[in-house]
Structures are given as structure tokens and as C-alpha cells.
Amino acid sequence: AEAYRAAGRRRNDADRALTNEGRKKLREVLRAAERADVVPSLIVTSPYVRAVQTAEVVIEVLGYANDLLRTEALIPPADPEDLWEEIRVHQGVMQLMLVGHEPMLGKLVAFLLNWRSLMVDVKKGALLRIDIDQFGAQPHGVLKWMVVPKLT
């Protein structure tokens, strides 16, 4: 989702918040997700402010009732393989939702699809569904769909 940078001063990336416009676009994508029966069983989020705020909008729109799981494995300099190890712990979860940042999410998509040379631009507020059928050391996923704010 869209993040805010205060005019005239630089803010720590971890402290940047969602803008009202970012929240609006996110709600549009989540309404489309709701129509597609997206009901997260577990939400794993970056600890950055805007990611947690994004997860809170998901809670509001999709009615998620559990606690958020925060992980450093979703912050931008993290490695997809480290995040995969955390995902594998939750392989019994029906709908796992990850909330994070670029370029980490694009790299993760390529890793989950077992195609590291794939370049994926995960737009702000985008939602992707990837089904995983192998939870070994290297995942084997199938991209089912991707929705971005301009398509809703």
C-alpha cells in the first residue's frame, strides 16, 4: 500500500505510515479479494508501521480474528529463503497472507514459483494468490491470480 513521507524531512523507512489514498486503494483490492473468498487463516507481516497498518485494514475488511504474526523475514533486505523457512512452519494453514515490501515480495514470488530469474513488480496494494504444493527445501508454487488497485 502507499506510504507517506513527510515533506521536507526524511523519515526512517520502518516508521513510514499509509496514506489515506493508500488505504482507499487497499480497501478496493480487499473488496475484490472478499468476492474471491479470501479469508486469511494467518497473517504474517513485516514489523514496519505501514505493513502493520495494511494488515489492520485486512482485519477490518476481511474480518480476520486472530493475532498478527510479525517477522523480520519480511523486511526489504531479507532473503526469500529465510522467509520460506518461516512459511514452511505454517504449511497446514489454509490461507496464509504475507504483508511486506518491495523488492522482497517480488523476489519471494519468483522463489515460490521456482523461477529465480523471473522479475515480478509487486505494486503497492497488490494481492497475489500462490498455491504451494511442495513444502520441501525448494517450494513449488502456482500463481493463481494477481490483483492491483488499478484493476479493481
Side-chain angles (χ1 to χ4, degrees):
E2 200 167 301
Y4 168 77
R5 185 177 303 273
R9 63 186 172 121
R10 297 185 66 91
R11 297 186 59 164
N12 181 341
D13 191 43
D15 297 330
R16 288 173 45 213
L18 288 179
T19 64
N20 289 334
E21 181 67 18
R23 287 177 192 277
K24 178 183 170 194
K25 289 178 181 179
L26 178 60
R27 281 188 179 91
E28 291 170 5
V29 168
L30 291 172
R31 282 189 206 98
E34 186 176 36
R35 291 188 300 273
D37 296 322
V38 173
V39 181
S41 306
L42 177 63
I43 298 175
V44 180
T45 183
S46 153
Y48 284 14
V49 170
R50 66 187 177 278
V52 173
Q53 289 174 335
T54 297
E56 289 169 349
V57 175
V58 171
I59 291 168
E60 173 190 323
V61 175
L62 298 181
Y64 178 76
N66 298 315
D67 291 332
L68 297 175
L69 178 60
R70 291 174 175 86
T71 180
E72 297 284 323
L74 272 163
I75 61 173
D79 184 276
E81 291 183 43
D82 294 335
L83 180 55
W84 175 240
E85 291 306 315
E86 289 197 31
I87 292 171
R88 288 174 63 192
V89 171
H90 304 289
Q91 63 183 298
V93 172
M94 288 303 295
Q95 291 190 31
L96 174 67
M97 180 177 280
L98 304 174
V99 181
H101 319 273
E102 275 296 286
M104 173 57 180
L105 291 177
K107 291 176 184 177
L108 178 65
V109 170
F111 180 77
L112 293 176
L113 298 177
N114 198 9
W115 196 359
R116 288 196 182 243
S117 64
L118 180 68
M119 301 296 289
V120 181
D121 181 13
V122 179
K123 296 292 185 191
K124 294 173 183 166
L127 187 63
L128 294 85
R129 175 181 170 187
I130 299 175
D131 290 358
I132 306 293
D133 63 4
Q134 291 181 12
F135 281 87
Q138 175 62 53
H140 183 264
V142 176
L143 177 63
K144 294 293 191 172
W145 48 259
M146 178 176 180
V147 179
V148 296
K150 291 189 180 208
L151 293 178
T152 55

